[in-house]
Amino acid sequence: MRKSTRVLLATALALGVSAGPVLTPAFAGGPAAVSRSSSSPAPDLSGVIAGLPSADATAALVRIGGTEGVWQGAAGVRDLESRGPADPSARFRAGSVTKVFTAATVLGLAAEGRIDLDRSARSYLPELIPGRYATVTVRQLLNHTHGIPAADFPGTTVEEWYAHRFDVHRPEDIVRSATAKPREFRPGTRQHYLNIGYTIAGLIVERVTGDSFERQVERRILRPLGLRDTYLPGGDPRIAGPYNHGYQTMRLDDGTTGLRDVSVWGTTDGWAAGDLISTTADLERFTRALFAGAVVRGPLLEEMFTLPKVPDFKTGDPAAYSVGLSMKRLGGREVWGKTGGRWGYNAAIASTRRGERTLVYSVNSTDAKGQDMNKVALGIMLATYGLPSE
């Protein structure tokens, strides 16, 4: 049993999440979950998200769909000041779920012959990618086997990052910071999940189209699917429209440790790798369309469901990330999707391969970028699909 599986299993048992449709409540008390369910046998997650706000999260929004049934629920509060109920239709920061949109945009351009996945990134951006990374291909950027290290950003603690929350980072400068360093491994021989590959991919989109990355995503994905509450914010650190506030545990101005409202926070460090803002309804529509082949069409869709046959750079486990997505076996079947985290917000999309069961959640985590997966988010994932399996 791999270490990651052991950790998930131990956490699931601690939460009291079972593998079947009958769930043991993980939390008690607090605002009741608001839910709607069909007569189809979809899991009822009311017990999993009950009791919010808690030490781990202030709100949670969940949508389960697919041919196996539907369920929707919301719990927690809109903000800790008014303590009004969480808005089920609120926008939130989706973090690295952005990578799925970026990957789909690149694959769309590949289908048009404007991007070649086997061509080097340097051939598209010769003035930006140095010779030491001359063999890195576009596909390797997207499946995290490129060997380019992470860029440097100011700060080493959440308090320092908070102080720099309004810094504006140009993607070209991010790439220069990363590619100035020695490579972590020979391209194509290991997998290391990082943002940098998607930052470069976003710049390649702009180079081959002569258009902004944001407009290409809007034209190719957001408008065709009618995702009216989804957008890429650029340099605006605010969330437009209604949202449930995000909070982070950190040292406060008076020297104590507590929750600070971190809803307003710039995302230019993430850009094509992590700045998307959306809703659970929009992301559910996107997930259904993606898995049905309505976003990426034809053979290129298989790039999103093909894991490279290389080990993880840090653990040595088999690669878990494809182009845009990741895979874990839960409840005896493959679940494909993507999680994301920005300060105050954890999000995810997931689905079985044929769309029998889809999941979208937003959890207002109090430590959204912690080393371990948020307990509420993990409970949602395991209650929806079941316990880890090999």
Side-chain angles (χ1 to χ4, degrees):
M1 185 182 293
R2 285 180 282 172
K3 181 179 179 182
S4 59
T5 301
R6 289 198 303 269
V7 171
L8 274 172
L9 180 57
T11 307
L13 294 175
L15 287 171
V17 176
S18 68
V22 180
L23 307 180
T24 301
F27 306 97
V34 178
S35 63
R36 296 187 284 116
S37 66
S38 73
S39 58
S40 301
D44 183 336
L45 272 65
S46 300
V48 177
I49 63 174
L52 302 183
S54 69
D56 299 304
T58 59
L61 313 177
V62 183
R63 294 175 74 100
I64 298 172
T67 57
E68 295 178 351
V70 300
W71 185 90
Q72 299 174 28
V77 296
R78 185 174 303 179
D79 63 79
L80 292 176
E81 288 70 37
S82 72
R83 300 189 74 84
D87 181 353
S89 61
R91 288 175 172 170
F92 53 83
R93 300 193 188 280
S96 285
V97 174
T98 310
K99 293 183 176 69
V100 191
F101 287 74
T102 303
T105 300
V106 173
L107 292 174
L109 288 164
E112 297 169 6
R114 302 172 74 179
I115 289 179
D116 183 343
L117 299 181
D118 293 315
R119 186 175 164 186
S120 73
R122 190 168 191 246
S123 68
Y124 292 101
L125 302 168
E127 78 290 355
L128 197 58
I129 308 297
R132 66 167 60 92
Y133 295 109
T135 64
V136 172
T137 66
V138 175
R139 180 182 285 104
Q140 289 166 350
L141 294 176
L142 298 176
N143 66 19
H144 306 282
T145 62
H146 47 73
I148 304 172
D152 292 325
F153 295 100
T156 57
T157 67
V158 63
E159 292 81 12
E160 291 171 341
W161 293 321
Y162 179 76
H164 288 275
R165 66 193 181 280
F166 298 134
D167 289 1
V168 175
H169 306 277
R170 296 179 65 250
E172 294 86 355
D173 294 336
I174 294 173
V175 174
R176 291 188 184 98
S177 170
T179 57
K181 305 175 188 179
R183 67 188 189 187
E184 292 185 326
F185 49 82
R186 184 163 55 86
T189 63
R190 298 285 190 275
Q191 184 174 80
H192 189 187
Y193 176 82
L194 291 170
N195 282 349
I196 187 62
Y198 279 74
T199 303
I200 298 173
L203 289 171
I204 291 175
V205 168
E206 294 194 332
R207 179 60 54 88
V208 302
T209 63
D211 194 10
S212 73
F213 167 75
E214 291 84 356
R215 281 193 294 268
Q216 283 294 304
V217 173
E218 181 180 4
R219 184 174 75 81
R220 294 171 177 275
I221 301 175
L222 305 188
R223 273 187 286 171
L225 294 182
L227 307 183
R228 296 180 179 85
D229 289 314
T230 303
Y231 72 101
L232 299 162
D236 191 344
R238 300 163 298 178
I239 300 174
Y243 63 91
N244 299 318
H245 288 233
Y247 296 87
Q248 168 66 33
T249 302
M250 66 172 73
R251 190 178 64 254
L252 304 178
D253 296 338
D254 61 4
T256 63
T257 298
L259 293 178
R260 187 188 292 275
D261 191 327
V262 292
S263 307
V264 180
W265 192 311
T267 56
T268 55
D269 60 314
W271 192 51
D275 70 351
L276 190 80
I277 291 172
S278 191
T279 64
T280 55
D282 270 11
L283 289 183
E284 183 179 60
R285 180 180 295 184
F286 170 72
T287 302
R288 290 201 312 264
L290 179 71
F291 279 67
V295 180
V296 179
R297 295 174 173 82
L300 283 168
L301 180 60
E302 289 309 308
E303 295 283 345
M304 305 190 83
F305 299 100
T306 303
L307 299 175
K309 298 183 184 303
V310 298
D312 182 87
F313 176 57
K314 292 184 176 180
T315 67
D317 291 340
Y321 295 92
S322 62
V323 171
L325 299 174
S326 63
M327 190 279 287
K328 185 165 288 293
R329 291 192 62 83
L330 298 174
R333 55 185 175 178
E334 290 185 355
V335 176
W336 294 83
K338 190 70 190 73
T339 59
R342 295 293 306 185
W343 300 110
Y345 299 89
N346 281 131
I349 65 171
S351 180
T352 51
R353 181 63 180 86
R354 292 185 175 88
E356 298 94 339
R357 179 167 294 175
T358 64
L359 168 67
V360 176
Y361 68 69
S362 167
V363 173
N364 294 67
S365 305
T366 57
D367 190 15
K369 286 183 169 289
Q371 287 188 338
D372 297 322
M373 187 174 180
N374 177 269
K375 289 181 181 179
V376 178
L378 179 58
I380 292 168
M381 184 69 72
L382 297 182
T384 303
Y385 291 109
L387 297 179
S389 56
E390 291 300 317

